[in-house]
Amino acid sequence: MRRIMVCVKRVVDYNVRIRVKPDGTGVVLDGVKMSVNPFDEIALEEALRIKERGEADEVVAVSIGPDDAQQQLRTALAMGADRAILVKTTDVVEPLAAAQVFLTLVQKEQPQLVILGKQAIDDDAAQTGQMLAALWDRPQATFASKVELAGAAALVTREVDAGLETIEVDLPAVVTTDLRLNEPRYVKLPDIMKAKKKPLDVVELASTGVSAGETLKSVLVEPPKPRSKGVMVKDVAGLVDALKKKGLL
Amino acid sequence: MATVLIVGEHDGSKLNPSTARCVTCAAQISGAEVHVALFGADLAAVAPQAAALKGVTKVLSVANPANAHPLAAVLAPQVVALAGPYTHVLGPSTTFGKDLMPRVAALLGVPQVSDAMSVDGPYKFKRPTYAGNAIVTVEAPESRKLVATVRTASFEAAPQGGQAAVEAVAVSVPLPTHTRFVSVSAANSDRPDLQTAAKVVSGGRALGSKENFQLIYSLADRMGAAVGASRAAVDAGYASNELQVGQTGKIIAPELYVAIGISGAIQHLTGIKDARTIVAINKDAEAPIFEIADYGLVGDLFQILPELEKSLA
């Protein structure tokens, strides 16, 4: 079976205005809307398109997190994933531990492709895909803006600082997604109903043999230093004047 | 004592300025001895540039045809082979470093500090999370090697004046062939580089078309500035991807940033917060960009831009 595994992270919704707790222990998460990490949504969309092109047979969505992460996996199932696996834990799971957990799932599921977001919009670490590829000893194609399967390999176009780079990777491989890879589909109500019947396995983190927890100790979380309030200028002449005074023009 | 290995970035002829910024970060780790490792097919041109950075005491030059293009899967085992004696391994938080360093960290079996923006101690760094809305101070275990990417916009480039020795090193580890370079399409440009330019002019969705985006180029050229773009402008096809500034694009810290027709989504603001002076030109007086701008001008960009260009002539 040609299988694609998609890693999905439950994160604070893209549109939520983040507030830092006054005691410096973290950000406010109580009552905050949670969603699928937008980059992972793109990863799932790409997997579904590959399957719809007849180049894969099954899409498995996997996540690591609290019981509530089942909601995000249900969203993935509603989008079109065939089944889902949640590795349940309330511990802090850093990217290296996440990669170790995903490796155990990879060894079990034997996917030809693992697709995940290039970063999660909560910790912005941008590590998990590369770490999984390293531990798995397989290719990585990060920041993908185009993925074409060609037999036992894939051609991936990557968004790099210089422009667009294309690499060829043998399968199986890990792909991490950039913003312009695709536009994820909207979930329709009947799909949400159907998703309720799709299989969603929940396994305990301990069963994977991976231990999670904080190795990078978060000592303090604080809001960024605010910029001082600027001034409004009336017209172009006023702007040019102000910039000239500061020696910027 | 701390010994720091920096993985240098280059294009075969020029050392990327991100390397000099990593050197400044490394130098802030107290008492650190700083070495730079370079990987490439031919390093004759770039190794002296790394050796000339003040604060660098040794350059390790790993020339190998397999290193002609920076493929993370190929470079990572070589970095690991060199990492043994070092307490810290740093790379820039550019697409080069972001691709490579987590692979290095995983092979070493250690966590990575991403986007270090300040050095609070040899194993203590500040880094941005939630698109820069929450700054976390993290402490890594001193008993393990520390791998980090450096948020280059947060550090000045190390000055010239170094005289480090360049040591040619042969690294004999098996290199994978499962990842192959095919091509790169770089926008060849005589304009200043977006990531290091002192001045940047950026355009947003309000430009309305690829043709109108030429107004941004034109003003930038007049000012000697680099060109940037918001995600919306790139998504709409007005500008190419390497121009994107923001959380998922480039994080920059120019002396002057001019945002034109950019409303200022939080993801964009993340990319420019370290700019010395921010100018915003926007039709909408309520646009969030004005909250962080040093100088704001409300009006129609299609009237303002020609006028601005004329007054700079």
Side-chain angles (χ1 to χ4, degrees):
Chain A
M1 169 123 50
R2 296 167 306 167
R3 186 173 285 138
I4 301 178
M5 186 169 118
V6 178
C7 309
V8 169
K9 188 176 183 184
R10 171 184 166 90
V11 298
V12 173
D13 187 82
Y14 186 78
N15 290 308
V16 169
R17 205 180 179 104
I18 298 296
R19 283 180 302 134
V20 172
K21 287 183 191 165
D23 66 0
T25 57
V27 304
V28 176
L29 295 176
D30 291 339
V32 164
K33 187 185 175 198
M34 304 296 283
S35 296
V36 174
N37 175 39
F39 289 98
D40 297 339
E41 231 176 346
I42 293 170
L44 181 59
E45 176 66 34
E46 194 63 19
L48 296 172
R49 290 185 190 187
I50 291 169
K51 186 187 163 193
E52 285 159 4
R53 288 202 298 266
E55 295 171 349
D57 306 304
E58 189 186 47
V59 174
V60 184
V62 302
S63 188
I64 309 168
D67 214 25
D68 286 341
Q70 287 193 43
Q71 294 161 13
Q72 280 64 46
L73 286 174
R74 285 292 168 202
T75 303
L77 293 169
M79 273 180 74
D82 297 291
R83 58 191 173 87
I85 303 168
L86 171 65
V87 178
K88 201 171 93 177
T89 179
T90 51
D91 287 348
V92 174
V93 181
E94 291 175 352
L96 184 58
Q100 289 163 342
V101 171
F102 290 140
L103 181 67
T104 67
L105 297 177
V106 157
Q107 283 159 347
K108 203 164 138 248
E109 299 289 340
Q110 299 286 321
Q112 62 168 348
L113 209 53
V114 177
I115 314 182
L116 66 168
K118 72 165 180 177
Q119 72 194 77
I121 60 165
D122 49 4
D123 61 19
D124 282 332
Q127 300 173 13
T128 305
Q130 296 90 310
M131 287 182 158
L132 171 61
L135 301 177
W136 191 14
D137 198 16
R138 293 305 307 166
Q140 67 188 48
T142 52
F143 327 137
S145 66
K146 193 175 174 197
V147 178
E148 291 171 286
L149 297 194
L155 270 181
V156 181
T157 303
R158 310 175 53 232
E159 293 201 2
V160 296
D161 289 338
L164 295 172
E165 182 195 74
T166 303
I167 60 172
E168 188 182 42
V169 294
D170 291 339
L171 301 179
V174 176
V175 170
T176 78
T177 60
D178 217 315
L179 288 170
R180 279 167 286 276
L181 181 58
N182 60 50
E183 210 167 302
R185 64 196 65 188
Y186 285 102
V187 173
K188 297 190 239 26
L189 190 61
D191 297 328
I192 296 173
M193 304 311 287
K194 250 193 284 178
K196 287 184 179 158
K197 294 197 190 99
K198 289 184 179 176
L200 193 169
D201 289 342
V202 180
V203 299
E204 296 291 333
L205 175 70
S207 73
T208 66
V210 176
S211 55
E214 214 177 50
T215 57
L216 291 178
K217 211 168 107 205
S218 163
V219 185
L220 177 70
V221 182
E222 54 194 330
K225 287 197 182 70
R227 289 183 71 98
S228 52
K229 185 87 183 123
V231 295
M232 300 303 282
V233 293
K234 260 198 347 265
D235 50 22
V236 169
L239 177 62
V240 170
D241 223 39
L243 293 179
K244 276 193 174 147
K245 265 191 200 131
K246 281 190 102 178
L248 289 165
L249 285 180
Chain B
M1 203 183 82
T3 48
V4 184
L5 182 67
I6 294 168
V7 183
E9 179 177 3
H10 64 90
D11 63 4
S13 58
K14 271 187 75 182
L15 191 68
N16 190 292
S18 65
T19 307
R21 290 167 184 260
C22 286
V23 170
T24 299
C25 175
Q28 290 177 11
I29 297 168
S30 70
E33 174 151 351
V34 182
H35 297 177
V36 174
L38 295 171
F39 301 87
D42 177 358
L43 296 160
V46 289
Q49 296 171 36
L53 293 174
K54 199 163 182 181
V56 177
T57 54
K58 196 199 277 186
V59 174
L60 305 173
S61 163
V62 188
N64 181 338
N67 295 341
H69 302 284
L71 298 168
V74 174
L75 298 190
Q78 301 178 71
V79 176
V80 169
L82 294 179
Y86 296 93
T87 56
H88 296 64
V89 184
L90 305 184
S93 197
T94 55
T95 53
F96 165 76
K98 282 182 184 171
D99 186 38
L100 173 61
M101 299 313 287
R103 190 155 183 131
V104 170
L107 292 179
L108 291 169
V110 300
Q112 173 182 296
V113 175
S114 290
D115 299 318
M117 57 189 284
S118 83
V119 181
D120 291 12
Y123 291 88
K124 204 169 166 187
F125 300 86
K126 282 194 174 64
R127 61 171 304 263
T129 62
Y130 290 96
N133 287 303
I135 308 300
V136 184
T137 306
V138 292
E139 209 164 16
E142 295 189 17
S143 55
R144 295 159 90 176
K145 221 179 275 302
L146 184 125
V147 174
T149 57
V150 175
R151 187 175 182 274
T152 51
S154 302
F155 298 90
E156 303 278 342
Q160 299 286 304
Q163 285 177 320
V166 177
E167 192 181 308
V169 183
V171 178
S172 54
V173 289
L175 301 179
T177 54
H178 55 46
T179 306
R180 296 170 292 277
F181 173 84
V182 177
S183 64
V184 65
S185 68
N188 245 336
S189 160
D190 297 331
R191 294 193 172 85
D193 175 55
L194 173 58
Q195 227 143 11
T196 50
K199 297 175 192 171
V200 174
V201 177
S202 251
R205 197 204 310 263
L207 268 299
S209 72
K210 195 172 176 174
E211 291 67 40
N212 289 343
F213 204 85
Q214 289 304 321
L215 292 168
I216 300 295
Y217 282 105
S218 171
L219 177 64
D221 289 347
R222 178 71 71 192
M223 292 172 57
V227 171
S230 70
R231 178 190 166 186
V234 176
D235 281 354
Y238 306 163
S240 50
N241 67 280
E242 68 271 16
L243 300 186
Q244 186 177 319
V245 172
Q247 180 188 18
T248 68
K250 291 188 169 115
I251 311 276
I252 56 174
E255 291 294 313
L256 174 63
Y257 184 79
V258 184
I260 297 167
I262 293 176
S263 63
I266 196 91
Q267 290 79 9
H268 185 78
L269 302 186
T270 297
I272 60 168
K273 263 193 275 219
D274 290 337
R276 199 66 53 88
T277 300
I278 297 176
V279 172
I281 299 171
N282 204 295
K283 206 162 57 181
D284 174 13
E286 303 297 314
I289 189 82
F290 289 123
E291 285 169 30
I292 69 152
D294 299 282
Y295 300 103
L297 177 54
V298 177
D300 179 3
L301 68 92
F302 295 106
Q303 277 171 15
I304 291 172
L305 288 194
E307 204 185 319
L308 184 54
E309 224 188 297
K310 209 156 88 193
S311 64
L312 296 176

